Amino acid sequence: GVSCHFLRMTRSRSTLRPALRPKIVKKKTNKFVRFQADLFKRMAKSWRKPHGMDGRFRRHFKGTPSHVKIGYGSNKSTRFLMPDGFLKFQVSNVKELEMLLMHNKKYAAEIAHNVSTRKRKAIIERAEQLSIKVTNADAKLRSEEAE
């Protein structure tokens, strides 16, 4: 049998390019972390708005971290773009993949996590025919060593 790694390498690596690939500019690359989340293990790092009555962070004192604001938002034209220039479109079956027939230069298909291996193979096969990029084409595909 052939190793799984070799099969992945020989499968046609998607050389599909988007129609437009604008430069993606991020105003802030690091995440907004919840205030004092680094001090306590029980506090999640995910952002929470401060509500404390006397809190120095809520009152924007000098030396405290920056708050989440609308001004940090991404450019509307590049908002949900992946680094390769495509937009993600989640697909659960071949029929949903057919919707990307005319939009294969703008959207890339992403197979949903709960799709079986048998249907994944059918989706990937049809995507190659329609020249649609599949972001997670390698997921859940085992090598044919059992044969």
Side-chain angles (χ1 to χ4, degrees):
V2 186
S3 71
C4 183
H5 178 72
F6 180 73
L7 281 173
R8 276 199 195 127
M9 297 304 289
T10 54
R11 189 180 294 123
S12 62
R13 261 294 149 217
S14 173
T15 54
L16 300 167
R17 301 273 176 262
L20 292 170
R21 192 168 173 190
K23 187 156 173 57
I24 301 167
V25 178
K26 303 277 187 202
K27 294 179 190 170
K28 185 172 162 61
T29 50
N30 54 336
K31 294 269 193 285
F32 285 103
V33 183
R34 185 178 180 178
F35 186 56
Q36 290 188 333
D38 56 330
L39 302 181
F40 305 101
K41 208 171 191 177
R42 63 180 174 266
M43 274 177 91
K45 299 254 185 275
S46 57
W47 173 256
R48 293 289 184 277
K49 190 179 178 185
H51 291 285
M53 199 182 292
D54 301 320
R56 60 193 171 94
F57 183 55
R58 184 191 59 78
R59 291 157 68 192
H60 296 279
F61 277 21
K62 198 191 291 185
T64 57
S66 54
H67 283 224
V68 171
K69 290 178 186 164
I70 196 67
Y72 287 113
S74 299
N75 185 345
K76 194 184 274 188
S77 62
T78 63
R79 187 159 298 154
F80 300 106
L81 277 184
M82 296 189 291
D84 61 3
F86 284 102
L87 290 164
K88 265 187 205 172
F89 183 79
Q90 198 177 54
V91 165
S92 297
N93 52 45
V94 178
K95 191 181 177 193
E96 287 177 9
L97 187 75
E98 308 274 338
M99 290 198 288
L100 299 181
L101 175 64
M102 302 299 291
H103 308 285
N104 60 353
K105 292 281 188 201
K106 188 174 185 180
Y107 292 94
E110 182 175 78
I111 304 170
H113 79 283
N114 56 350
V115 177
S116 66
T117 309
R118 186 169 55 96
K119 282 189 178 173
R120 266 171 202 275
K121 285 179 182 172
I123 290 170
I124 292 163
E125 192 180 307
R126 185 68 179 131
E128 280 179 15
Q129 291 168 5
L130 300 174
S131 66
I132 297 169
K133 182 175 179 164
V134 180
T135 57
N136 56 349
D138 294 340
K140 281 194 185 179
L141 292 179
R142 283 185 231 102
S143 63
E144 282 77 52
E145 285 185 55
E147 292 176 19

